[in-house]
Amino acid sequence: MEFKDDCLKLENQLCFPLYVASKEVIRRYRPLLEELDLTYTQYITMMVLWQEKSISVKDLGTRLFLDSGTLTPLLKSLEAKGFISRCRSTQDERLLVVSITDLGMALKNKALSIPQKMASCVNLSEDE
């Protein structure tokens, strides 16, 4: 099978517009999340914890598609801010469990307006 050089042009790559769109969406989140003292990855971590209340680091990484090298410093930062706590599982000491704190739950109320604010800056209908 013969390939043409055109297949390697940046404008012909499916991944590039997706990459650019992802960066743009995260850039638009930044000022909203700065008010909460969160980065985007911290925000999506908090979203999981607002829902689950407690989850193993392994399951959290799987859910967020993050490896431990990214997740560990992120969780340390959230813990230093008082939003989460980390401790060993009582059922299996090999597992590290992340739990949301009262301060972390209180942050949820401040974050409730973010999805609506983001929807207003993206020129798509709710169905799109």
Side-chain angles (χ1 to χ4, degrees):
M1 179 178 230
E2 187 178 318
F3 291 100
K4 294 182 178 182
D5 287 349
D6 285 356
C7 72
L8 294 178
K9 287 184 177 179
L10 190 59
E11 61 268 16
N12 292 338
Q13 302 304 305
L14 171 62
C15 60
F16 188 68
L18 294 173
Y19 167 75
V20 171
S22 173
K23 285 183 59 114
E24 180 62 19
V25 169
I26 291 170
R27 185 186 69 78
R28 291 182 182 228
Y29 267 103
R30 192 170 294 122
L32 304 174
L33 296 176
E34 282 175 355
E35 295 174 19
L36 304 179
D37 192 25
L38 294 176
T39 64
Y40 180 75
T41 50
Q42 289 172 342
Y43 174 63
I44 62 174
T45 300
M46 293 303 296
M47 289 172 66
V48 171
L49 288 164
W50 289 326
Q51 183 178 347
E52 302 296 332
K53 311 297 183 259
S54 187
I55 189 169
S56 74
V57 171
K58 180 182 178 187
D59 289 343
L60 181 62
T62 299
R63 185 117 172 239
L64 295 174
F65 296 91
L66 296 174
D67 61 34
S68 63
T70 301
L71 209 46
T72 299
L74 182 150
L75 294 174
K76 284 182 179 180
S77 177
L78 288 173
E79 188 173 39
K81 293 175 186 186
F83 298 146
I84 66 161
S85 64
R86 297 177 301 152
C87 63
R88 294 278 165 206
S89 168
T90 55
Q91 286 85 26
D92 184 348
E93 288 188 11
R94 296 172 295 175
L95 292 178
L96 187 60
V97 176
V98 180
S99 300
I100 195 159
T101 63
D102 290 341
L103 187 61
M105 281 305 295
L107 190 65
K108 181 180 180 180
N109 291 329
K110 295 178 183 178
L112 287 173
S113 65
I114 291 177
Q116 184 178 6
K117 288 177 182 176
M118 280 302 298
S120 70
C121 73
V122 177
N123 198 15
L124 298 172
S125 71
E126 190 172 320
D127 288 341
E128 290 173 316

